[in-house]
Structures are given as C-alpha cells and as structure tokens.
Amino acid sequence: MKELGFFPEQNFQAGVRPAVLVGDQIQGIQQLAHPLTDEFWKNAVRNPFYRPTKQATTVRIDADVLAWLRSKGKGYQTKINAILRDAMIHEITHEQKKASS
C-alpha cells in the first residue's frame, strides 16, 4: 500500500484512493461531535489572530473632531475605527436584547 502524502494532489498522483466512511462510521463520528450550546458561546473568545479586511473610503469629519483625534498622537485612523466598532457592537447587542425581550 502506498503511503498517503500531506497534500491531496500527492495522493491523487500516487494513485491512492481516499478512505470512504460508511453508515456506522459516520454515526459514530456524529456521536462524538458535541453540539455547540449557548454555554459554550458564552465562554468563547475572539481569535487573537483575526484581522478584519480594511476598505479604503472617504469620510467627511467635522474639523474639531479630526483635530481632537489627531491631537492624541499617531494612529488617529485606528482610533476612528475603534470608536465606530464600539458603536456598532453597542447597537448590535442593544438590538439583540430588544429582540429577545
């Protein structure tokens, strides 16, 4: 029997057929998988390596607001994003609480 390679293309080129799961094997695997409960998600944390994609845009901001942000030092665009993200999360959680009550 040929040894399986790390990449699927290697297996195909080597003429190795992938294993096929049938009936009882699939059922056994499904029994091992635990459903993700609300308790699980309550303790979940965001992946520390997650980085959302950035999109360039043009935004018109009041001069005094921009001056205040720039006065805080380097990274004023990151601060703008953080402020907007906090507002977005606050609104989403507020809407979810409102919908569940």
Side-chain angles (χ1 to χ4, degrees):
M1 176 179 238
K2 294 182 180 179
E3 187 174 326
L4 290 176
F6 183 74
F7 299 100
E9 307 85 51
Q10 293 171 333
N11 299 334
F12 178 74
Q13 292 169 355
V16 177
R17 296 185 66 167
V20 177
L21 299 176
V22 292
D24 293 338
Q25 293 171 322
I26 294 172
Q27 193 173 29
I29 290 172
Q30 288 173 339
Q31 289 173 351
L32 291 174
H34 299 290
L36 300 179
T37 62
D38 289 340
E39 186 67 26
F40 171 85
W41 291 113
K42 186 173 86 173
N43 297 319
V45 293
R46 179 186 234 176
N47 180 346
F49 301 107
Y50 170 73
R51 297 288 180 255
T53 57
K54 303 290 184 184
Q55 183 172 353
T57 186
T58 301
V59 179
R60 298 183 64 79
I61 299 174
D62 293 342
D64 59 334
V65 173
L66 186 58
W68 172 75
L69 286 163
R70 285 184 170 165
S71 74
K72 302 294 181 183
K74 193 173 180 181
Y76 74 94
Q77 290 178 333
T78 303
K79 289 180 182 132
I80 292 171
N81 194 67
I83 291 167
L84 291 172
R85 180 170 296 280
D86 286 346
M88 177 187 74
I89 290 171
H90 175 76
E91 182 178 307
I92 290 169
T93 55
H94 181 71
E95 287 173 358
Q96 288 173 346
K97 287 178 185 177
K98 195 174 183 182
S100 66
S101 59

